[in-house]
Amino acid sequence: MRDFLLTSCPIAIWCITVLELGLLVLMFKKHSLSKKAILLCMALITCGLFIDALGISLGSVLDGVVMTVVSRIRFISHGLLIPLLFPICAYALGAGKKGLKLVWIFTAVLMAAGLAEAIATQLEASTIAGVTRFKASADTPSWASAISNVLSFGTVIPLMIVGIIVWIKQKTPFLFLSGFFMFAFSAIGPATGNADLIFYISMFGELLMVFFLYLYACKKA
C-alpha cells in the first residue's frame, strides 16, 4: 500500500486539484442560481480546499520564497473557511433566526482563531514522494496546534452528527457521508502506519467531502 501511495502521490494530487476546481465551479454556479447561503458556504469551503490542493501541487515547481507565501495563504484559507461547516449544519437543520445568529457568532470567533493560528504557525519545508510542501514546524506555538486540531476534527464530527439527523429527517445520507469520508481518510494514515502521508491521504477525504456536499446541494438546497 505504501509503495502505491508514494508512486501515485504527485499525479493523484494534481488530479484531486483539477476535480476540486470542477466542483468549485459547479458550487458557485449552483449558488448563482439559488442565492442560498448554505450554497455560498459550501462553495467557499470548496474554494479553501482547492487553494490548499493547488498550493501542494505547485510545491515542487515554485521557488522557496514564493512557496512560503503560497503556503501561508493555504493555512489562512483553511483557518478562515473550514469553520463554515457550522453554518452549513445550521442551515441543513433549518435553524431559526436566533439559532443562526448564535451559530454565525460562534463561527466568526472560530474564524478569527483560525486566522490567528494560520499566522502564528511556523513553517518548514518537507519533501516526500516527490512532493514539496510547507508544514507546521515544531516551533509552532502549542495553542496554534490546538486550534488546528479543533479545525480539523472539531468541525467534521458535528457535520457527521448533523448528517445523521438530516439522514433520518430528510432521507438523504449525503451530508453524513461528507463528514464520514473526511474523518475516515484523516484517520487512515495514522492507522496504517503512514502518518507522514496524512497530508496526501486526507486529500481524498477532502475531495469526497465537497463531492457529497455538492450532491446534498443538488438534492436539497
Side-chain angles (χ1 to χ4, degrees):
M1 176 182 177
R2 184 172 176 85
D3 289 340
F4 171 76
L5 290 172
L6 291 173
T7 55
S8 66
C9 188
I11 295 176
I13 287 177
W14 271 111
C15 290
I16 290 171
T17 302
V18 172
L19 290 172
E20 286 185 350
L21 176 60
L23 286 168
L24 176 61
V25 172
L26 290 174
M27 286 284 198
F28 273 113
K29 182 177 180 180
K30 196 156 190 67
H31 172 258
S32 68
L33 295 174
S34 70
K35 306 299 182 183
K36 291 186 177 181
I38 187 173
L39 288 174
L40 180 59
C41 292
M42 290 179 177
L44 290 173
I45 286 176
T46 305
C47 182
L49 294 176
F50 166 70
I51 291 172
D52 184 61
L54 181 62
I56 294 175
S57 298
L58 294 172
S60 299
V61 179
L62 303 176
D63 64 43
V65 175
V66 176
M67 191 57 197
T68 301
V69 174
V70 170
S71 298
R72 186 65 67 186
I73 293 173
R74 281 178 48 225
F75 277 80
I76 289 174
S77 65
H78 183 273
L80 282 177
L81 299 178
I82 292 302
L84 292 175
L85 285 172
F86 284 105
I88 288 174
C89 290
Y91 286 119
L93 289 174
K97 290 184 177 180
K98 290 184 178 179
L100 285 172
K101 184 177 181 180
L102 290 174
V103 170
W104 273 111
I105 291 173
F106 174 74
T107 300
V109 172
L110 197 57
M111 291 171 74
L115 177 61
E117 171 264 324
I119 294 173
T121 297
Q122 301 299 305
L123 302 178
E124 66 177 8
S126 174
T127 300
I128 187 170
V131 175
T132 299
R133 79 190 208 285
F134 277 80
K135 64 178 184 179
S137 74
D139 296 328
T140 298
S142 57
W143 63 266
S145 298
I147 292 175
S148 178
N149 290 331
V150 169
L151 292 178
S152 297
F153 296 100
T155 53
V156 175
I157 293 175
L159 181 64
M160 292 172 60
I161 295 172
V162 170
I164 292 173
I165 298 172
V166 168
W167 192 350
I168 294 171
K169 291 186 175 182
Q170 301 178 16
K171 310 304 180 185
T172 174
F174 295 140
L175 205 61
F176 167 75
L177 291 174
S178 177
F180 171 77
F181 281 112
M182 183 66 254
F183 181 84
F185 276 89
S186 295
I188 285 175
T192 59
N194 293 292
D196 56 335
L197 294 175
I198 190 172
F199 79 94
Y200 167 44
I201 299 172
S202 64
M203 290 177 72
F204 289 96
E206 293 168 356
L207 176 62
L208 288 170
M209 181 176 76
V210 295
F211 173 68
F212 282 107
L213 284 180
Y214 179 70
L215 291 184
Y216 177 79
C218 289
K219 188 172 180 65
K220 290 294 180 180

